[in-house]
Every structure is written in structure tokens, then in C-alpha cells.
Amino acid sequence: MRRAVCPGSFDPITNGHLDIIARASKLYDVVHVAVMINQSKQGLFTIEERIGLIREITAEFGNVEVESFHGLLVDFCKERDIPAIVKGLRAVSDFDYELQMAQMNNGLSGVETLFVPTNPTYSFLSSSLVKEVAAWGGDVSHLVPPRVLGALTERLARK
Ligand code: PNS
């Protein structure tokens, strides 16, 4: 079984994330989506909500498993025998930090990182920008899956 992991905060998952997960799911037998638990940062959605949304949205791929993790990503990989991390690269500005992480992760455990060029439609896209635009009433319907748009609209209305 060829396995890979797509890690992230996914607060919430965007069409950019989904594009990378969909492409990884064609290249690997199983894709693990690993949702990072960050105790020092309060998200808009809880970890369970993020996992629920990602599970619903990726169910159609048939080979995506969604879990949370805390601590080192390489430990998540080791426990599940995952040899590869798949990451999207949006622009050159992503590259410096992503390269550092890839080299650190490889040095720690031998896990490889594969970079997938983001679809140019989503090269400016991030969860933070989606939240900011949506919070001010901007239209993000082309940037997130419909299920996420509903959850976002409902959550922001309660704030
Ligand atoms: O969506 P994000 O917040 O940009 O994702 C960042 C993430 C989760 C991929 C990165 O912070 C990570 O891998 N964190 C796990 C902790 C870890 O392994 N740190 C060492 C990286 S070299």
C-alpha cells in the first residue's frame, strides 16, 4: 500500500487544500489528512468540526482517511508507516519555509516531502484570508466547498 499524508490546520478546508488532496488521492493508495491540534491557537472551528467537514467533502475519493495529530508530523508518519508528505506550493514565498520543514522532517526520520504546484486559481488562497473576507461579508463561495460555506456562514453569524 502506497501511503501519503497531507497535513495542515484546515481551519477550514479550502478549495486549494481540496485540490491537493484530490491530486494526491490519484497518486497514492491511501491519503491520510492530518489535522494539526494547536493548543496555543483558538480556531474558528474545533478539531472535530474540521475533521467532520473534511470527511464529508473527501468521502467521494474513497481512499482518504482523516485524523487529528499533535506533536511532530514525522511521529504521525512513523506510527502509520507513511513514507511521504504531500504539500501544495502556492508561490515562491511558500518555498523557503516549506524547504526548511521538508529538510528537517527528512533529517529526523527519512520521510520524503513531495511538492505539488497549486492550481493557479488558488495561488492566493488561504484559510485565514477566507475567514477574513467572509467575516466582512465578502463572497467566498468560489473558494470553499459548499458544505464549508454553509458552516462558515453559520459560525460567523453567531459571532
Ligand atoms: O495549514 P498549516 O497551519 O500551514 O500547516 C502547518 C503544518 C501542520 C503542516 C506544520 O506546522 C507541521 O507539520 N506541524 C507539525 C509539527 C512538526 O512536525 N513540526 C516540525 C516541522 S519541521
Side-chain angles (χ1 to χ4, degrees), residues 39-87:
Q39 265 131 0
S40 62
K41 198 170 160 193
Q42 165 102 48
L44 183 61
F45 294 99
T46 66
I47 294 294
E48 291 70 30
E49 288 169 333
R50 295 178 215 178
I51 289 176
L53 287 168
I54 302 168
R55 279 199 183 129
E56 276 183 49
I57 292 159
T58 59
E60 64 180 285
F61 302 140
N63 64 343
V64 174
E65 293 182 9
V66 191
E67 289 171 83
S68 63
F69 78 104
H70 65 96
L72 292 177
L73 180 61
V74 292
D75 290 336
F76 179 93
C77 294
K78 219 179 289 171
E79 284 155 18
R80 290 159 186 80
D81 205 16
I82 300 172
I85 300 166
V86 174
K87 290 274 191 84

Side-chain angles (χ1 to χ4, degrees), residues 7-10 17 36 69 71-74 87 100-101 104-105:
S9 303
F10 303 106
H17 294 127
M36 181 177 67
F69 78 104
L72 292 177
L73 180 61
V74 292
K87 290 274 191 84
Q100 282 176 33
M101 284 199 285
M104 177 62 83
N105 285 331

